[in-house]
Amino acid sequence: MLQAVFVVVMLIIGKLIYDSYMEQTSNRPKKEKKSRKGDIIDLSEAWVSLDNLPFRKRENLLSARELGLFNLFSRLLESSSYIAVPKLRMSEIFYVAPDADKRQEYQNRLKDKTVELLICELPNFKPVLIVLADNETEARKKQLSDRFIKSAAQAGGLPLLNVTSDLWEDELLLVQELQNLGIIVRRLH
């Protein structure tokens, strides 16, 4: 049995050496690959049946906390040149440098994480501020996620505002924080 395995391995090595030799001694110019334009084939039904998909509509896109944060900022940004965009994936805000080591891993991390709120400047939806809602009782997983978001925001040059309970309760203080970050909003009465 061992002799048969040895013979098969030797045949494979011999074939590789022969192919390499033939490729190097060949005087024929190599053919350039022609770009082929053809029909697009939809294989989506090949792996899943489209007859009875198990999808259901969510009742709410935002949790109560996220909705409260969105409503607060929507009210503050009303009549300004800014808009609040809730629950946005980080891959829609940042991109990974093309020459980065482990590029795909970083890209996957960006796809997995979402920010609670992104403030954009109109009319071009230019990202100007990431908003996170701080919660003293939040889970360890959320704290680690927020740590990644904070590091990514700093690396990407985008300011981040962590809305603490003090800022939730005092809108004037929140407006002052926004103005310190260069975001001019309407004055509260």
Side-chain angles (χ1 to χ4, degrees), residues 29-35:
K30 293 184 180 182
K31 294 181 182 177
E32 290 185 30
K33 292 183 179 179
K34 295 180 181 178
S35 63

Side-chain angles (χ1 to χ4, degrees), residues 7-84:
V7 169
V8 170
V9 170
M10 292 307 291
L11 286 173
I12 292 172
I13 292 173
K15 174 70 172 146
L16 290 173
I17 292 171
Y18 175 77
D19 289 345
S20 176
Y21 173 78
M22 292 305 290
E23 184 178 315
Q24 290 179 0
T25 59
S26 175
N27 290 332
R28 292 178 290 151
K30 293 184 180 182
K31 294 181 182 177
E32 290 185 30
K33 292 183 179 179
K34 295 180 181 178
S35 63
R36 297 174 55 185
K37 293 183 181 179
D39 296 334
I40 296 175
I41 301 171
D42 181 12
L43 298 177
S44 60
E45 290 187 53
W47 64 276
V48 66
S49 171
L50 298 178
D51 295 334
N52 190 17
L53 294 173
F55 303 139
R56 305 295 179 261
K57 176 184 66 114
R58 292 183 184 271
E59 289 303 315
N60 300 302
L61 292 180
L62 304 176
S63 69
R65 186 169 141 233
E66 292 167 334
L67 185 59
L69 186 69
F70 173 74
N71 287 336
L72 171 65
F73 275 84
S74 291
R75 188 173 62 252
L76 291 176
L77 298 174
E78 191 176 56
S79 302
S80 75
S81 61
Y82 301 97
I83 188 169

Side-chain angles (χ1 to χ4, degrees), residues 172-186:
L172 289 175
L173 185 60
L174 180 57
V175 167
Q176 183 61 46
E177 285 292 322
L178 290 171
Q179 289 176 343
N180 290 344
L181 292 166
I183 298 174
I184 308 303
V185 297
R186 69 178 179 90

Side-chain angles (χ1 to χ4, degrees), residues 90-91 96 103-114 144-145 147-149:
M90 290 186 63
S91 62
V96 181
R103 185 176 193 280
Q104 191 60 46
E105 291 177 34
Y106 286 114
Q107 191 65 38
N108 290 340
R109 286 290 298 268
L110 289 176
K111 287 179 184 177
D112 291 343
K113 304 291 180 200
T114 59
L144 291 173
S145 178
R147 183 173 169 219
F148 175 78
I149 292 170

